[in-house]
Amino acid sequence: MASPSFGIRLEQYTLRRPDEVLLVNVQVGDEPDQIAVFRGFSSSLMRPTAYDPDVPVLPETAAVQSIDRLRGPFDPSNPQVIQAGLSVEEMQSLFQEVGV
């Protein structure tokens, strides 16, 4: 059985830590994007998000630049940063901590 995609694992992580919001800065082709992940759901903050939850918001081809952990719910006017600028590898360690 294939392991879940990175985007699915981000969503699973936020289900295990429902008081956190992840802001994922990515490059999709030539376009930058920022994706918010909260309580198991992902939404692009810069592009339209599909209504179908089975359509991944974070494409497999996206290059993850950095991930910020924030206290939820997310208030753009007053973000409460837990950790900023995490790499994919650092996020993988957090996945292991929560078992995803």
Coordinates of all heavy atoms in Angstrom, one line a residue:
M1 N 0.8 -1.2 0.0 CA 0.0 0.0 0.0 C 0.9 1.2 0.0 O 1.8 1.3 0.8 CB -0.9 0.0 1.2 CG -1.9 1.1 1.3 SD -3.1 0.8 2.6 CE -2.6 2.0 3.8
A2 N 0.6 2.2 -0.9 CA 1.4 3.4 -1.0 C 1.1 4.3 0.3 O 0.0 4.3 0.8 CB 1.0 4.2 -2.2
S3 N 2.2 5.0 0.7 CA 2.0 5.9 1.8 C 1.2 7.1 1.4 O 1.3 7.5 0.2 CB 3.4 6.3 2.4 OG 4.1 7.0 1.4
P4 N 0.5 7.8 2.3 CA -0.3 9.0 1.9 C 0.7 10.1 1.4 O 1.8 10.2 1.8 CB -0.9 9.4 3.2 CG -0.7 8.3 4.2 CD 0.4 7.5 3.7
S5 N 0.1 10.9 0.6 CA 0.9 12.1 0.0 C 1.2 13.0 1.2 O 0.6 13.0 2.3 CB 0.1 12.8 -1.0 OG -1.0 13.5 -0.4
F6 N 2.2 13.9 0.9 CA 2.6 14.9 1.9 C 1.4 15.8 2.3 O 1.2 16.1 3.5 CB 3.7 15.7 1.3 CG 4.4 16.6 2.4 CD1 5.2 16.1 3.3 CD2 4.1 18.0 2.3 CE1 5.8 16.9 4.3 CE2 4.7 18.8 3.3 CZ 5.5 18.3 4.3
G7 N 0.6 16.2 1.3 CA -0.6 17.0 1.6 C -1.6 16.3 2.5 O -2.1 16.9 3.4
I8 N -1.8 15.0 2.3 CA -2.7 14.2 3.1 C -2.1 14.1 4.6 O -2.9 14.3 5.5 CB -2.9 12.8 2.6 CG1 -3.6 12.9 1.2 CG2 -3.7 11.9 3.5 CD1 -5.1 13.3 1.2
R9 N -0.8 13.9 4.6 CA -0.2 13.8 6.0 C -0.3 15.2 6.7 O -0.5 15.2 7.9 CB 1.2 13.4 5.8 CG 1.3 11.9 5.4 CD 2.7 11.4 5.2 NE 3.3 11.1 6.5 CZ 4.6 11.0 6.8 NH1 5.4 11.1 5.8 NH2 5.0 10.7 8.0
L10 N -0.2 16.3 6.0 CA -0.4 17.6 6.6 C -1.8 17.7 7.2 O -2.0 18.1 8.4 CB -0.2 18.7 5.6 CG 1.3 19.0 5.2 CD1 1.3 19.9 4.0 CD2 2.1 19.5 6.3
E11 N -2.8 17.2 6.5 CA -4.2 17.3 6.9 C -4.3 16.4 8.2 O -5.0 16.7 9.1 CB -5.1 16.9 5.8 CG -5.2 18.0 4.7 CD -6.0 17.6 3.5 OE1 -6.5 16.4 3.4 OE2 -6.3 18.5 2.7
Q12 N -3.8 15.2 8.1 CA -3.8 14.2 9.2 C -3.2 14.8 10.5 O -3.7 14.7 11.6 CB -3.2 12.9 8.8 CG -4.0 12.1 7.8 CD -3.3 10.9 7.3 OE1 -2.1 10.7 7.5 NE2 -4.0 10.0 6.7
Y13 N -2.0 15.5 10.3 CA -1.4 16.1 11.4 C -2.3 17.1 12.1 O -2.4 17.1 13.3 CB -0.1 16.8 10.9 CG 0.6 17.6 11.9 CD1 1.6 17.1 12.8 CD2 0.3 19.0 12.1 CE1 2.2 17.8 13.8 CE2 1.0 19.8 13.1 CZ 1.9 19.2 13.9 OH 2.5 19.9 14.9
T14 N -3.0 17.9 11.3 CA -3.9 19.0 11.9 C -5.1 18.3 12.6 O -5.7 19.0 13.5 CB -4.3 20.1 10.9 OG1 -5.0 19.5 9.9 CG2 -3.1 20.8 10.4
L15 N -5.5 17.1 12.2 CA -6.5 16.4 12.9 C -6.0 16.0 14.3 O -6.8 16.0 15.3 CB -7.0 15.2 12.1 CG -7.9 15.5 10.9 CD1 -8.1 14.2 10.1 CD2 -9.2 16.2 11.3
R16 N -4.7 15.6 14.4 CA -4.1 15.2 15.7 C -3.8 16.4 16.5 O -3.7 16.3 17.7 CB -2.9 14.4 15.4 CG -3.1 13.2 14.6 CD -3.4 11.9 15.4 NE -3.8 10.8 14.6 CZ -3.0 9.8 14.3 NH1 -1.8 9.7 14.7 NH2 -3.5 8.8 13.6
R17 N -3.6 17.6 15.9 CA -3.3 18.8 16.6 C -4.3 19.9 16.2 O -3.9 20.8 15.4 CB -1.8 19.2 16.4 CG -0.8 18.3 17.0 CD 0.4 18.9 17.4 NE 1.3 18.1 18.2 CZ 2.6 18.0 18.1 NH1 3.2 18.9 17.3 NH2 3.3 17.2 18.9
P18 N -5.5 19.8 16.6 CA -6.6 20.7 16.1 C -6.4 22.2 16.5 O -7.1 23.0 16.0 CB -7.9 20.1 16.7 CG -7.4 19.3 17.9 CD -6.0 18.8 17.6
D19 N -5.5 22.4 17.4 CA -5.3 23.8 17.8 C -4.2 24.5 17.0 O -3.8 25.6 17.3 CB -4.9 23.9 19.3 CG -3.6 23.0 19.6 OD1 -3.4 22.0 18.9 OD2 -2.9 23.3 20.6
E20 N -3.7 23.8 16.0 CA -2.7 24.4 15.1 C -3.2 24.6 13.7 O -4.0 23.8 13.2 CB -1.5 23.4 15.0 CG -0.6 23.4 16.2 CD 0.6 22.6 16.0 OE1 1.2 22.5 14.9 OE2 1.1 22.1 17.1
V21 N -2.7 25.6 13.0 CA -2.9 25.9 11.6 C -1.5 25.8 11.0 O -0.5 26.3 11.5 CB -3.5 27.3 11.4 CG1 -3.6 27.6 9.9 CG2 -4.8 27.4 12.1
L22 N -1.4 25.1 9.8 CA -0.2 25.1 9.1 C -0.3 26.0 7.9 O -1.3 25.9 7.1 CB 0.2 23.7 8.6 CG 0.3 22.6 9.7 CD1 0.5 21.2 9.1 CD2 1.5 23.0 10.6
L23 N 0.7 26.9 7.7 CA 0.7 27.7 6.5 C 1.9 27.2 5.7 O 3.0 27.2 6.1 CB 0.9 29.2 6.8 CG -0.3 29.9 7.3 CD1 0.1 31.4 7.5 CD2 -1.5 29.8 6.4
V24 N 1.5 26.6 4.5 CA 2.5 25.9 3.7 C 2.8 26.8 2.4 O 1.9 27.1 1.7 CB 2.0 24.6 3.2 CG1 3.1 23.8 2.4 CG2 1.5 23.7 4.4
N25 N 4.0 27.3 2.3 CA 4.5 28.1 1.2 C 5.1 27.2 0.1 O 6.0 26.4 0.4 CB 5.5 29.1 1.7 CG 4.9 30.1 2.7 OD1 4.0 30.9 2.3 ND2 5.3 30.0 3.9
V26 N 4.5 27.2 -1.0 CA 4.9 26.3 -2.1 C 5.1 27.0 -3.4 O 4.6 28.1 -3.6 CB 3.8 25.1 -2.3 CG1 3.7 24.3 -1.1 CG2 2.5 25.7 -2.8
Q27 N 5.7 26.3 -4.3 CA 5.9 26.8 -5.7 C 5.2 25.7 -6.6 O 5.6 24.5 -6.5 CB 7.4 26.9 -6.0 CG 7.6 27.6 -7.3 CD 7.5 29.1 -7.3 OE1 7.5 29.7 -6.2 NE2 7.3 29.7 -8.4
V28 N 4.2 26.1 -7.3 CA 3.5 25.1 -8.2 C 3.8 25.6 -9.6 O 3.2 26.6 -10.1 CB 2.0 25.1 -8.0 CG1 1.3 24.1 -8.9 CG2 1.7 24.8 -6.5
G29 N 4.8 25.0 -10.3 CA 5.3 25.4 -11.6 C 5.9 26.8 -11.4 O 6.8 26.9 -10.6
D30 N 5.4 27.8 -12.1 CA 6.0 29.1 -12.0 C 5.2 30.0 -11.0 O 5.6 31.2 -10.8 CB 6.0 29.9 -13.3 CG 6.9 29.2 -14.4 OD1 7.8 28.6 -14.0 OD2 6.6 29.4 -15.6
E31 N 4.2 29.4 -10.4 CA 3.3 30.2 -9.5 C 3.6 29.9 -8.0 O 3.5 28.7 -7.6 CB 1.9 29.8 -9.8 CG 1.4 30.2 -11.2 CD 1.3 31.7 -11.4 OE1 0.8 32.4 -10.5 OE2 1.7 32.1 -12.5
P32 N 3.8 30.9 -7.2 CA 3.8 30.7 -5.8 C 2.4 30.5 -5.2 O 1.4 31.0 -5.8 CB 4.4 32.0 -5.2 CG 4.0 33.1 -6.2 CD 4.0 32.3 -7.6
D33 N 2.3 29.8 -4.1 CA 1.0 29.6 -3.5 C 1.2 29.5 -2.0 O 2.3 29.1 -1.5 CB 0.3 28.3 -4.0 CG -1.2 28.3 -3.7 OD1 -1.7 29.3 -3.1 OD2 -1.8 27.3 -4.0
Q34 N 0.2 29.8 -1.2 CA 0.2 29.6 0.2 C -1.0 28.8 0.6 O -2.1 29.2 0.2 CB 0.3 30.9 1.0 CG 0.5 30.7 2.4 CD 0.7 32.1 3.2 OE1 -0.1 33.0 3.1 NE2 1.8 32.2 3.9
I35 N -0.8 27.7 1.3 CA -1.9 26.8 1.6 C -2.1 26.8 3.1 O -1.1 26.5 3.8 CB -1.7 25.4 1.0 CG1 -1.6 25.5 -0.5 CG2 -2.8 24.4 1.5 CD1 -1.1 24.2 -1.2
A36 N -3.3 27.0 3.6 CA -3.6 26.9 5.0 C -4.2 25.5 5.2 O -5.1 25.0 4.5 CB -4.6 27.9 5.4
V37 N -3.7 24.8 6.2 CA -4.2 23.5 6.6 C -4.7 23.6 8.1 O -3.9 23.9 9.0 CB -3.1 22.4 6.5 CG1 -3.7 21.0 6.7 CG2 -2.5 22.5 5.1
F38 N -6.0 23.2 8.3 CA -6.6 23.4 9.6 C -7.6 22.3 9.8 O -8.5 22.2 9.0 CB -7.2 24.8 9.8 CG -7.8 25.1 11.1 CD1 -7.1 25.0 12.3 CD2 -9.1 25.4 11.2 CE1 -7.6 25.3 13.5 CE2 -9.7 25.7 12.4 CZ -9.0 25.7 13.6
R39 N -7.5 21.5 10.9 CA -8.5 20.5 11.2 C -8.8 19.6 10.1 O -10.0 19.2 9.9 CB -9.7 21.1 11.8 CG -9.4 21.8 13.2 CD -10.6 22.2 13.9 NE -10.2 22.8 15.2 CZ -11.0 23.4 16.0 NH1 -12.3 23.4 15.8 NH2 -10.5 23.9 17.1
G40 N -7.8 19.2 9.4 CA -8.0 18.1 8.3 C -8.4 18.7 7.0 O -8.6 17.9 6.1
F41 N -8.4 20.0 6.8 CA -8.8 20.5 5.5 C -7.7 21.5 5.0 O -7.1 22.2 5.8 CB -10.1 21.3 5.6 CG -11.3 20.4 5.9 CD1 -11.7 20.2 7.2 CD2 -11.9 19.7 4.9 CE1 -12.8 19.4 7.5 CE2 -13.0 18.8 5.1 CZ -13.4 18.7 6.4
S42 N -7.5 21.5 3.7 CA -6.6 22.4 3.1 C -7.3 23.4 2.2 O -8.3 23.1 1.5 CB -5.6 21.6 2.2 OG -4.9 20.7 2.9
S43 N -6.8 24.6 2.1 CA -7.3 25.7 1.3 C -6.2 26.6 0.8 O -5.4 27.0 1.6 CB -8.4 26.5 2.1 OG -9.0 27.4 1.2
S44 N -6.2 26.9 -0.5 CA -5.3 27.8 -1.0 C -5.7 29.2 -0.6 O -6.8 29.6 -0.7 CB -5.2 27.7 -2.6 OG -4.4 28.7 -3.1
L45 N -4.7 30.0 -0.2 CA -5.0 31.4 0.1 C -4.7 32.3 -1.1 O -5.0 33.5 -1.1 CB -4.1 31.9 1.2 CG -4.3 31.1 2.5 CD1 -3.3 31.6 3.6 CD2 -5.7 31.1 3.0
M46 N -4.2 31.7 -2.3 CA -3.9 32.5 -3.4 C -4.6 32.1 -4.7 O -4.6 32.8 -5.7 CB -2.4 32.5 -3.6 CG -1.6 33.1 -2.4 SD 0.1 32.9 -2.5 CE 0.6 34.2 -3.6
R47 N -5.1 30.9 -4.7 CA -5.8 30.3 -5.9 C -7.1 29.8 -5.5 O -7.4 29.4 -4.4 CB -4.9 29.2 -6.5 CG -3.6 29.6 -7.0 CD -2.8 28.5 -7.6 NE -2.6 27.4 -6.7 CZ -2.6 26.1 -7.0 NH1 -2.9 25.8 -8.2 NH2 -2.4 25.2 -6.1
P48 N -8.0 29.6 -6.5 CA -9.3 28.9 -6.2 C -9.0 27.5 -5.7 O -8.1 26.8 -6.1 CB -10.0 28.8 -7.5 CG -9.3 29.8 -8.4 CD -7.9 29.9 -7.9
T49 N -9.8 27.1 -4.7 CA -9.8 25.7 -4.1 C -11.0 24.9 -4.6 O -12.1 25.4 -4.6 CB -9.8 25.8 -2.6 OG1 -8.6 26.5 -2.2 CG2 -9.7 24.4 -2.0
A50 N -10.7 23.7 -5.1 CA -11.8 22.9 -5.7 C -12.8 22.6 -4.6 O -12.5 22.4 -3.4 CB -11.2 21.6 -6.2
Y51 N -14.1 22.4 -4.9 CA -15.1 22.1 -4.0 C -15.0 20.6 -3.6 O -15.4 20.3 -2.5 CB -16.5 22.3 -4.6 CG -16.9 23.7 -4.8 CD1 -17.0 24.3 -6.0 CD2 -17.1 24.5 -3.7 CE1 -17.3 25.6 -6.2 CE2 -17.4 25.9 -3.8 CZ -17.5 26.4 -5.1 OH -17.8 27.7 -5.2
D52 N -14.5 19.8 -4.4 CA -14.3 18.4 -4.2 C -13.1 18.1 -3.2 O -12.0 18.4 -3.6 CB -14.1 17.6 -5.5 CG -14.0 16.1 -5.3 OD1 -13.9 15.6 -4.2 OD2 -14.0 15.4 -6.4
P53 N -13.4 17.6 -2.0 CA -12.3 17.4 -1.1 C -11.3 16.3 -1.5 O -10.2 16.2 -0.9 CB -13.0 17.0 0.2 CG -14.3 16.5 -0.2 CD -14.7 17.2 -1.4
D54 N -11.7 15.5 -2.5 CA -10.7 14.5 -3.0 C -9.7 15.1 -4.0 O -8.8 14.4 -4.4 CB -11.5 13.4 -3.7 CG -12.3 12.6 -2.7 OD1 -11.9 12.5 -1.5 OD2 -13.4 12.0 -3.1
V55 N -9.9 16.3 -4.4 CA -8.9 17.0 -5.3 C -7.9 17.6 -4.4 O -8.2 18.5 -3.6 CB -9.6 18.1 -6.2 CG1 -8.6 18.8 -7.0 CG2 -10.7 17.4 -7.1
P56 N -6.6 17.2 -4.5 CA -5.6 17.7 -3.6 C -5.3 19.2 -3.9 O -5.2 19.6 -5.0 CB -4.4 16.9 -3.9 CG -4.6 16.2 -5.2 CD -6.1 16.2 -5.5
V57 N -5.3 19.9 -2.8 CA -4.9 21.3 -2.9 C -3.4 21.5 -3.1 O -3.0 22.4 -3.7 CB -5.4 22.1 -1.6 CG1 -5.0 23.5 -1.6 CG2 -6.9 22.0 -1.4
L58 N -2.7 20.6 -2.5 CA -1.2 20.6 -2.6 C -0.9 19.5 -3.6 O -0.8 18.3 -3.3 CB -0.6 20.3 -1.3 CG 1.0 20.2 -1.3 CD1 1.6 21.6 -1.6 CD2 1.5 19.7 0.1
P59 N -0.6 19.9 -4.9 CA -0.3 18.9 -5.9 C 1.0 18.2 -5.6 O 1.9 18.8 -5.0 CB -0.1 19.8 -7.2 CG -0.4 21.2 -6.9 CD -0.6 21.3 -5.4
E60 N 1.1 17.0 -6.1 CA 2.4 16.2 -5.9 C 3.6 16.9 -6.5 O 4.7 16.7 -6.0 CB 2.2 14.8 -6.5 CG 1.2 13.9 -5.8 CD 1.7 13.3 -4.5 OE1 2.9 13.2 -4.3 OE2 0.8 13.0 -3.7
T61 N 3.4 17.7 -7.5 CA 4.5 18.4 -8.2 C 4.9 19.7 -7.5 O 5.9 20.3 -7.9 CB 4.0 18.7 -9.6 OG1 2.9 19.5 -9.6 CG2 3.8 17.4 -10.4
A62 N 4.2 20.1 -6.5 CA 4.5 21.3 -5.8 C 5.8 21.2 -5.1 O 6.1 20.2 -4.5 CB 3.4 21.7 -4.8
A63 N 6.6 22.3 -5.1 CA 7.9 22.3 -4.3 C 7.6 23.1 -3.0 O 7.3 24.3 -3.1 CB 9.0 23.0 -5.1
V64 N 7.6 22.4 -1.9 CA 7.4 23.0 -0.6 C 8.6 23.9 -0.2 O 9.7 23.4 -0.2 CB 7.1 22.0 0.5 CG1 6.9 22.7 1.9 CG2 5.9 21.2 0.2
Q65 N 8.4 25.2 0.0 CA 9.4 26.1 0.3 C 9.6 26.2 1.8 O 10.7 26.1 2.3 CB 9.1 27.5 -0.2 CG 8.7 27.6 -1.6 CD 9.9 27.3 -2.5 OE1 11.0 27.8 -2.4 NE2 9.7 26.4 -3.5
S66 N 8.5 26.3 2.6 CA 8.6 26.4 4.0 C 7.2 26.1 4.6 O 6.2 26.3 3.9 CB 9.1 27.7 4.5 OG 8.2 28.7 4.2
I67 N 7.2 25.8 5.9 CA 5.9 25.5 6.6 C 6.0 26.3 7.9 O 7.0 26.2 8.7 CB 5.7 24.0 6.9 CG1 5.8 23.3 5.6 CG2 4.4 23.8 7.7 CD1 6.0 21.8 5.7
D68 N 4.9 27.0 8.2 CA 4.8 27.7 9.5 C 3.7 27.1 10.3 O 2.6 26.8 9.8 CB 4.4 29.2 9.3 CG 5.5 30.0 8.5 OD1 6.7 29.5 8.5 OD2 5.1 31.0 7.9
R69 N 4.0 26.9 11.6 CA 3.0 26.4 12.6 C 2.4 27.6 13.3 O 3.2 28.3 13.9 CB 3.6 25.4 13.5 CG 4.1 24.1 12.9 CD 4.9 23.2 13.8 NE 4.1 22.8 15.0 CZ 4.6 22.7 16.2 NH1 5.9 22.8 16.4 NH2 3.8 22.3 17.2
L70 N 1.1 27.7 13.3 CA 0.5 28.8 14.0 C -0.6 28.3 14.9 O -1.1 27.2 14.7 CB -0.2 29.8 13.0 CG 0.7 30.3 11.9 CD1 -0.1 31.0 10.8 CD2 1.7 31.2 12.4
R71 N -0.9 29.1 15.9 CA -2.1 28.7 16.8 C -3.3 29.0 16.0 O -3.5 30.0 15.4 CB -2.0 29.6 18.1 CG -0.9 29.2 19.0 CD -1.1 29.6 20.4 NE 0.1 29.5 21.1 CZ 0.8 28.4 21.4 NH1 0.3 27.2 21.0 NH2 1.9 28.4 22.1
G72 N -4.3 28.1 16.1 CA -5.6 28.2 15.5 C -6.6 28.8 16.4 O -6.4 28.7 17.6
P73 N -7.6 29.3 15.9 CA -7.9 29.6 14.5 C -7.0 30.7 14.0 O -6.6 31.6 14.7 CB -9.4 29.9 14.4 CG -9.7 30.4 15.8 CD -8.8 29.7 16.7
F74 N -6.8 30.7 12.7 CA -5.9 31.6 12.0 C -6.5 33.0 11.9 O -7.6 33.1 11.4 CB -5.5 31.1 10.7 CG -4.6 32.0 9.9 CD1 -3.4 32.4 10.4 CD2 -5.0 32.4 8.6 CE1 -2.5 33.3 9.6 CE2 -4.1 33.3 7.9 CZ -2.9 33.7 8.4
D75 N -5.8 34.0 12.4 CA -6.3 35.4 12.2 C -5.1 36.1 11.5 O -4.1 36.4 12.1 CB -6.5 36.0 13.6 CG -6.9 37.5 13.5 OD1 -6.9 38.1 12.4 OD2 -7.1 38.1 14.6
P76 N -5.3 36.4 10.2 CA -4.2 37.0 9.4 C -3.8 38.3 10.0 O -2.6 38.7 9.8 CB -4.8 37.2 8.0 CG -6.1 36.5 8.0 CD -6.5 36.2 9.4
S77 N -4.6 39.0 10.7 CA -4.2 40.3 11.3 C -3.4 40.2 12.6 O -2.7 41.1 13.0 CB -5.4 41.2 11.5 OG -6.2 40.6 12.5
N78 N -3.4 38.9 13.2 CA -2.7 38.7 14.4 C -2.2 37.2 14.5 O -2.7 36.5 15.3 CB -3.6 39.0 15.6 CG -2.8 38.9 16.9 OD1 -1.6 39.0 17.0 ND2 -3.6 38.6 18.0
P79 N -1.3 36.8 13.5 CA -0.9 35.4 13.6 C -0.1 35.1 14.8 O 0.8 35.9 15.2 CB -0.1 35.3 12.3 CG 0.4 36.7 12.0 CD -0.7 37.6 12.5
Q80 N -0.3 34.0 15.4 CA 0.4 33.6 16.6 C 1.3 32.4 16.2 O 0.8 31.3 16.1 CB -0.6 33.2 17.7 CG -1.4 34.4 18.2 CD -2.4 34.0 19.3 OE1 -2.4 32.9 19.8 NE2 -3.3 34.9 19.6
V81 N 2.5 32.7 16.0 CA 3.5 31.8 15.4 C 4.0 30.8 16.5 O 4.5 31.3 17.6 CB 4.7 32.5 14.7 CG1 5.7 31.5 14.2 CG2 4.1 33.4 13.6
I82 N 4.0 29.5 16.3 CA 4.6 28.5 17.1 C 6.0 28.3 16.6 O 7.0 28.3 17.4 CB 3.8 27.2 17.1 CG1 2.3 27.5 17.7 CG2 4.5 26.1 18.0 CD1 1.4 26.3 17.5
Q83 N 6.1 28.0 15.3 CA 7.4 27.8 14.7 C 7.3 28.3 13.2 O 6.3 28.0 12.6 CB 7.7 26.3 14.6 CG 8.7 25.8 15.6 CD 9.0 24.3 15.4 OE1 8.1 23.5 15.3 NE2 10.2 24.0 15.4
A84 N 8.3 28.9 12.7 CA 8.3 29.4 11.4 C 9.4 28.9 10.5 O 10.5 28.5 11.1 CB 8.4 31.0 11.4
G85 N 9.2 28.7 9.2 CA 10.2 28.3 8.3 C 10.6 26.9 8.4 O 11.8 26.6 8.1
L86 N 9.7 26.0 8.8 CA 10.1 24.6 8.9 C 10.3 24.0 7.5 O 9.6 24.3 6.5 CB 9.0 23.8 9.5 CG 8.7 24.0 11.0 CD1 7.4 23.4 11.4 CD2 9.9 23.5 11.8
S87 N 11.3 23.1 7.4 CA 11.5 22.3 6.1 C 10.6 21.1 6.1 O 10.0 20.7 7.1 CB 13.0 21.9 6.1 OG 13.2 20.9 7.1
V88 N 10.6 20.5 4.9 CA 9.8 19.2 4.8 C 10.4 18.2 5.7 O 9.6 17.5 6.4 CB 9.9 18.7 3.3 CG1 9.4 17.3 3.2 CG2 9.2 19.6 2.4
E89 N 11.7 18.1 5.9 CA 12.3 17.1 6.8 C 11.9 17.4 8.3 O 11.6 16.4 9.0 CB 13.8 17.2 6.7 CG 14.3 16.6 5.3 CD 14.2 17.6 4.2 OE1 14.0 18.9 4.4 OE2 14.2 17.2 3.0
E90 N 11.9 18.7 8.7 CA 11.4 19.0 10.0 C 10.0 18.6 10.2 O 9.6 18.1 11.3 CB 11.7 20.5 10.3 CG 13.2 20.8 10.4 CD 13.4 22.3 10.4 OE1 12.8 23.0 9.6 OE2 14.3 22.7 11.2
M91 N 9.2 18.8 9.2 CA 7.7 18.5 9.3 C 7.6 17.0 9.4 O 6.7 16.5 10.1 CB 7.0 19.0 8.1 CG 5.5 19.1 8.3 SD 5.0 20.2 9.5 CE 3.7 19.3 10.3
Q92 N 8.4 16.2 8.7 CA 8.4 14.7 8.8 C 8.6 14.3 10.2 O 7.9 13.3 10.7 CB 9.4 14.1 7.8 CG 9.3 14.5 6.4 CD 8.3 13.6 5.6 OE1 7.5 12.9 6.2 NE2 8.3 13.7 4.3
S93 N 9.5 14.9 10.9 CA 9.7 14.6 12.3 C 8.5 14.8 13.2 O 8.2 14.1 14.1 CB 10.9 15.4 12.9 OG 12.1 15.1 12.3
L94 N 7.8 15.9 12.9 CA 6.5 16.2 13.6 C 5.5 15.2 13.3 O 4.7 14.8 14.1 CB 6.0 17.6 13.3 CG 6.9 18.7 13.9 CD1 6.4 20.1 13.3 CD2 6.8 18.7 15.4
F95 N 5.4 14.7 12.0 CA 4.5 13.6 11.6 C 4.7 12.4 12.5 O 3.8 11.8 13.0 CB 4.7 13.2 10.2 CG 4.2 14.2 9.1 CD1 4.7 14.1 7.8 CD2 3.3 15.2 9.4 CE1 4.3 15.0 6.9 CE2 2.9 16.2 8.5 CZ 3.4 16.0 7.2
Q96 N 6.0 12.1 12.7 CA 6.3 10.9 13.5 C 5.9 11.1 14.9 O 5.4 10.2 15.6 CB 7.8 10.6 13.5 CG 8.3 10.1 12.1 CD 9.8 9.8 12.1 OE1 10.6 10.4 12.8 NE2 10.2 8.9 11.2
E97 N 6.0 12.3 15.5 CA 5.6 12.6 16.9 C 4.1 12.3 17.1 O 3.7 11.8 18.1 CB 5.8 14.1 17.2 CG 7.2 14.4 17.6 CD 7.4 15.9 18.0 OE1 6.4 16.5 18.4 OE2 8.5 16.4 17.9
V98 N 3.3 12.6 16.1 CA 1.9 12.4 16.2 C 1.4 11.1 15.6 O 0.2 10.8 15.6 CB 1.1 13.6 15.7 CG1 1.4 14.9 16.5 CG2 1.2 13.8 14.2
G99 N 2.3 10.4 14.9 CA 1.9 9.1 14.3 C 1.2 9.1 13.0 O 0.3 8.3 12.7
V100 N 1.6 10.1 12.1 CA 1.0 10.1 10.8 C 2.0 9.9 9.7 O 3.2 10.2 10.0 CB 0.2 11.4 10.5 CG1 -1.0 11.5 11.4 CG2 1.0 12.6 10.5

